[in-house]
Amino acid sequence: MTAYDSNQDLDARLREAFLPPDDVAAVARDAAARAIAHREVRPRGFAAMPPWARGILATAALFLMGFSPLWAPEGEPLPLWTDDTDDQVASVDDPYRWERCSDSRLDAIARELFPIDLVGCSDLGPLPFEQLRPAQPMVCQVASEDATWRPLPGIDGLAWLSEPLLRLGTPRPTDDGGYQLMAEHGGQRAVLLIHPRAAAPSFGAGADGRLRIHRKEVAGYVVHELGASTEPFFLARIDQEQ
Amino acid sequence: MQGRPEPGTSEGHAPVTAPHASPRLTHDAFAERFEGAARVLWTIAAAVLGHRAQVEDVIQEAAIVGLEKLDQFDPNTHFEAWMGRIVRFVALNHLRREARRRTSQPELLESVPAVEPLDHDLDDTLQAALPGLRPVVRACLLLKVVEELEYREIAQVLEIPEGTAMSHVHRARHALQSQLSQEVMG
């Protein structure tokens, strides 16, 4: 007689393993509500333009602002804005610096640093990559669209990482046009929010314990803002499970 | 509450207008039906994935896909079958992406600590045995065992003949018991 000699025992184990959670109806209701909200958020203005038009405008804006990533020699750091209200250039010592480089070079660097498919969710629109670093020694990972995080190779600061893995859920649209991801780490969960409108004043490391990652379009790529260069980066805060 | 939205009215969320005359679900009606089908859809997603860890993600993505394709759904047909097909499609895509990522980046798998087990609630023996079954077979088994659906209902939801559903459940049980027994005895 083994533990699996009977249908009843097998069925009991399957039910135990696969019984839907008690709140499965609420999960579905929330999913449908988010899908409806996502469906009703239509891109406007800049976001509604075709990629080629956005690329031209972004490049022109960068050029007018003194940045010319497309024509600068390779190897020089690409300036990053430090926050939404201040156009200071991040320090070249910033371990997260980007090189000023051509479009293809930037692509190559991105793929070297983020050796994962930079694909977006087909149904949620393109979501390139996120670069997160918490204030406290905890994690420094890159999130891929398929919810897998990996360490950043060759980036300073990895030594203080105590936990190498953070699990992310699939980005979900929020009703204000951004994306929400559920991050799980060491049994704790946090809600990560990514918003496409970097200029909105309410974004940043929120006092509400939620994270908002800003992003700027540089040479056709989306670089998520990393926070003030003079301060420890605060990009991920792991709160108790909500 | 699956009525045809009257032109020019504001019935809840924006109604989905169809290019032809047959009635279409409103967004609210979709949400209502989606919630009503939650358990079955959840089980299908878990069955295809083989674990529960990413089921909520699949459900979310499926809701978005379903809403996008809502004008292709005839309210007079079986919603769970239509939505179940989308859930299966989305869950399979999850599996494919995962497989592609693992095979395209083998060197990373060696340099990165192993990912934690996907589902802590799934006992080890089941976790090892379930991947040996095809997703549709797992779905038949779980819909029968967990949701206690009739074979007729399973056949309808999974869009397979009733006899096939019965056969899948029988074979799945046999295969699982065989594998699990070997593991227990080994």
Side-chain angles (χ1 to χ4, degrees):
Chain A
M1 178 79 179
T2 72
Y4 294 98
D5 275 349
S6 68
N7 278 345
Q8 290 82 356
D9 184 69
L10 174 61
D11 290 358
R13 285 174 178 267
L14 286 170
R15 275 193 290 270
E16 181 183 1
F18 286 100
L19 195 66
D22 293 338
D23 64 344
V24 65
V27 169
R29 184 168 56 245
D30 292 346
R34 279 190 290 264
I36 290 171
H38 174 67
R39 184 84 177 150
E40 293 175 349
V41 172
R42 303 293 184 190
R44 288 177 295 184
F46 186 78
M49 296 178 182
W52 62 267
R54 289 204 304 268
I56 291 174
L57 281 179
T59 304
L62 287 168
F63 180 75
L64 291 173
M65 294 172 73
F67 306 137
S68 52
L70 292 179
W71 304 294
E74 293 193 6
E76 292 186 16
L78 176 68
L80 290 175
W81 290 273
T82 53
D83 59 44
D84 290 328
T85 58
D86 187 349
D87 279 344
Q88 295 176 28
V89 173
S91 165
V92 294
D93 296 327
D94 184 337
Y96 284 86
R97 71 192 174 92
W98 286 79
E99 291 183 348
R100 187 190 298 264
C101 55
S102 66
D103 201 63
S104 58
R105 173 64 178 150
L106 182 60
D107 185 29
I109 291 172
R111 290 187 181 279
E112 182 182 344
L113 288 177
F114 308 94
I116 50 181
D117 290 337
L118 299 180
V119 295
C121 293
S122 59
D123 298 303
L124 300 180
L127 181 69
F129 49 82
E130 297 82 52
Q131 192 171 6
L132 308 180
R133 188 177 178 185
Q136 299 300 322
M138 193 169 292
V139 289
C140 177
Q141 306 286 337
V142 178
S144 73
E145 173 267 340
D146 61 356
T148 303
W149 288 61
R150 299 188 180 285
L152 292 172
I155 296 293
D156 293 342
L158 280 180
W160 46 255
L161 302 182
S162 60
E163 295 288 343
L165 288 175
L166 180 68
R167 289 171 54 187
L168 274 189
T170 298
R172 298 170 177 172
T174 60
D175 55 7
D176 57 354
Y179 296 104
Q180 170 183 303
L181 303 90
M182 179 66 74
E184 183 179 348
H185 173 74
Q188 297 179 320
R189 284 183 168 185
V191 175
L192 311 185
L193 297 175
I194 299 173
H195 202 281
R197 295 195 297 272
S202 63
F203 301 145
D208 59 356
R210 294 187 169 199
L211 166 73
R212 290 187 189 277
I213 306 170
H214 304 175
R215 68 182 199 178
K216 301 283 188 183
E217 296 211 3
V218 178
Y221 289 85
V222 178
V223 177
H224 290 283
E225 199 73 351
L226 297 178
S229 63
T230 56
E231 298 291 334
F233 292 121
F234 181 102
L235 284 171
R237 173 175 165 179
I238 310 299
D239 289 328
Q240 293 297 325
E241 184 165 349
Q242 300 171 7
Chain B
M1 162 169 153
Q2 303 131 16
R4 180 205 313 249
E6 290 296 326
T9 61
S10 57
E11 177 187 340
H13 296 286
V16 175
T17 56
H20 45 82
S22 63
R24 294 298 176 215
L25 289 185
T26 64
H27 286 179
D28 284 344
F30 169 83
E32 188 177 328
R33 288 198 180 193
F34 192 78
E35 181 179 347
R39 288 186 64 92
V40 167
L41 299 181
W42 196 98
T43 302
I44 292 174
V48 173
L49 292 172
H51 54 73
R52 309 198 308 180
Q54 296 166 355
V55 171
E56 289 189 21
D57 294 336
V58 168
I59 294 295
Q60 176 65 77
E61 191 173 341
I64 293 171
V65 174
L67 205 63
E68 287 178 350
K69 299 183 180 300
L70 195 56
D71 60 347
Q72 299 174 14
F73 173 67
D74 182 349
N76 297 318
T77 61
H78 200 277
F79 180 79
E80 289 183 351
W82 179 72
M83 203 59 232
R85 193 188 318 147
I86 292 176
V87 167
R88 296 201 306 273
F89 172 79
V90 170
L92 285 171
N93 270 349
H94 269 247
L95 291 179
R96 290 191 186 105
R97 283 199 295 263
E98 182 69 14
R100 190 165 56 240
R101 183 185 59 78
R102 288 177 186 279
T103 55
S104 64
Q105 304 290 343
E107 70 285 358
L108 283 174
L109 295 180
E110 297 175 3
S111 62
V112 175
V115 179
E116 296 176 14
L118 287 171
D119 196 334
H120 301 290
D121 297 327
L122 196 56
D123 68 50
D124 291 342
T125 44
L126 271 181
Q127 191 151 255
L130 280 171
L133 302 177
R134 287 189 294 136
V136 66
V137 176
R138 289 197 297 260
C140 284
L141 180 65
L142 293 186
L143 287 173
K144 182 64 181 172
V145 172
V146 178
E147 289 304 302
E148 299 180 340
L149 297 188
E150 300 293 334
Y151 287 115
R152 173 183 52 79
E153 296 171 306
I154 296 173
Q156 194 171 31
V157 167
L158 296 180
E159 299 175 309
I160 57 177
E162 186 173 340
T164 303
M166 294 175 67
S167 172
H168 281 342
V169 171
H170 174 75
R171 290 179 183 175
R173 276 204 169 110
H174 180 75
L176 278 183
Q177 283 182 336
S178 174
Q179 289 186 48
L180 298 174
S181 295
Q182 286 178 9
E183 191 143 338
V184 169
M185 296 179 72

